[in-house]
């Protein structure tokens, strides 16, 4: 990774400080691009449906984990409508507090609100049909991402999937000193997933996003 991650503890504490100052709203979760939320969710729904409806090797609809969940934007509109139970994990307690009201009645079907950095989080073995990881991997160092993905694989039920949806750079690692994150290219991401022992099952680029932002790819792994 670039220089930004050399001092690991400030890489994490700067990110935590950044997110503590962000308002607990959809606009805040999407860095001012709240207007793309519906396009994003609809793209994710179409992606996920391919696996939930395939008869053979079908992914179950029992329990999902929303990683870097924030206020639960994805849980509310993608995961809770499709799964019986959803767990949320995020490093920012204020976002999880907000999620309890933002999710409305459906908050009753949230199994756990875990406040933890993904670098420290150990998902329960064999619990999840889908582990959704969106717009947060740039906050993990390479080694922590690989270790987290390994723990995710161990947390899957049979037929389960780890799904990463995130920005990808055209080439190499692009640091962002404002929110203390990095954006990796696809080749690097594939290499990290493979180091974690995961194989790419399906991959798509999210279409119809504004031209000025990074490309966004959705990658299903198991
Ligand atoms: C860009 S927001 C995305 C939120 C949500 N995934 C969405 O798409 O609406 C990034 C989220 O990652 C969380 N975050 C940042 N660093 C994290 C870490 N190391 N572990 C877990 N969550 C983290 C932030 O608190 C914030 O909620």
């Amino acid at each position: 990774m670039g220089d930004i991650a050399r001092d690991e503890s400030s890489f994490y504490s700067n990110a935590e400080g950044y997110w503590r100052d962000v308002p607990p709203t959809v606009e805040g979760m999407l860095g001012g691009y709240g207007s793309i939320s519906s396009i994003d969710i609809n793209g994710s729904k179409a992606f996920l449906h391919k696996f939930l409806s395939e008869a053979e090797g079908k992914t179950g609809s029992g329990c999902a984990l929303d990683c870097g969940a924030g206020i639960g934007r994805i849980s509310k509109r993608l995961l809770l409508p499709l799964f019986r139970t959803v767990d949320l994990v995020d490093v920012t307690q204020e976002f999880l507090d907000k999620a309890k009201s933002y999710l409305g009645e459906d908050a009753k079907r949230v199994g756990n609100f875990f406040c933890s950095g993904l670098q420290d989080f150990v998902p329960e073995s064999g619990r999840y049909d889908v582990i959704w990881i969106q717009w947060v991997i740039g906050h993990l160092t390479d080694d922590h991402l690989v270790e987290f993905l390994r723990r995710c694989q161990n947390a899957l039920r049979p037929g389960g999937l780890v799904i990463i949806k995130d920005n990808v750079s055209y080439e190499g690692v692009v640091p962002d000193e404002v929110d203390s994150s990095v954006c990796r290219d696809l080749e690097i991401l594939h290499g990290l997933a493979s180091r974690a022992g995961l194989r790419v099952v399906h991959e798509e680029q999210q279409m119809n996003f504004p031209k000025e932002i990074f490309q966004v790819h959705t990658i299903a792994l198991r």
Side-chain angles (χ1 to χ4, degrees):
M1 287 186 55
D3 290 347
I4 197 166
R6 256 185 217 138
D7 181 351
E8 200 172 282
S9 82
S10 65
F11 178 64
Y12 287 110
S13 61
N14 290 346
E16 283 179 37
Y18 171 85
W19 286 106
R20 264 198 303 272
D21 286 342
V22 169
T25 59
V26 169
E27 202 67 19
M29 296 302 98
L30 298 182
Y33 281 92
S35 61
I36 68 170
S37 188
S38 288
I39 300 171
D40 167 56
I41 297 284
N42 290 336
S44 300
K45 238 182 235 166
F47 187 96
L48 205 44
H49 268 298
K50 293 189 178 94
F51 297 98
L52 300 178
S53 57
E54 272 171 21
E56 226 186 271
K58 193 171 170 243
T59 301
S61 54
C63 191
L65 174 65
D66 185 354
C67 299
I71 62 168
R73 183 186 68 88
I74 297 164
S75 288
K76 186 179 177 82
R77 294 191 48 204
L78 177 72
L79 301 176
L80 279 161
L82 292 173
F83 295 87
R84 273 193 300 284
T85 306
V86 175
D87 290 346
L88 281 71
V89 54
D90 198 280
V91 79
T92 312
Q93 182 65 54
E94 190 198 357
F95 294 163
L96 294 172
D97 291 343
K98 174 71 187 192
K100 289 169 192 160
S101 56
Y102 176 69
L103 295 175
E105 271 291 289
D106 283 341
K108 287 189 191 133
R109 290 190 293 111
V110 172
N112 300 278
F113 292 92
F114 296 111
C115 187
S116 170
L118 300 182
Q119 64 277 17
D120 301 316
F121 183 66
V122 183
E124 186 185 319
S125 171
R127 177 171 167 84
Y128 299 105
D129 294 299
V130 164
I131 299 182
W132 195 271
I133 311 170
Q134 182 161 350
W135 279 322
V136 66
I137 59 167
H139 285 299
L140 299 186
T141 65
D142 286 358
D143 287 348
H144 283 163
L145 177 57
V146 168
E147 287 158 21
F148 178 63
L149 289 175
R150 267 200 205 115
R151 296 195 293 276
C152 285
Q153 187 177 38
N154 184 54
L156 292 180
R157 283 184 181 158
L161 287 172
V162 175
I163 300 181
I164 294 176
K165 185 168 185 177
D166 219 304
N167 298 341
V168 298
S169 69
Y170 284 103
E171 197 183 355
V173 178
V174 180
D176 181 338
E177 308 217 9
V178 176
D179 69 356
S180 189
S181 70
V182 294
C183 179
R184 304 170 171 98
D185 70 27
L186 260 188
E187 197 183 329
I188 296 174
L189 271 183
H190 288 162
L192 296 173
S194 144
R195 263 178 65 196
L198 288 162
R199 136 187 99 77
V200 177
V201 180
H202 185 62
E203 184 172 321
E204 281 177 19
Q205 184 182 343
Q206 171 69 55
M207 303 316 277
N208 304 319
F209 271 180
K211 297 264 178 299
E212 71 273 17
I213 65 172
F214 282 116
Q215 289 183 16
V216 172
H217 283 247
T218 313
I219 311 172
L221 304 157
R222 63 160 59 107

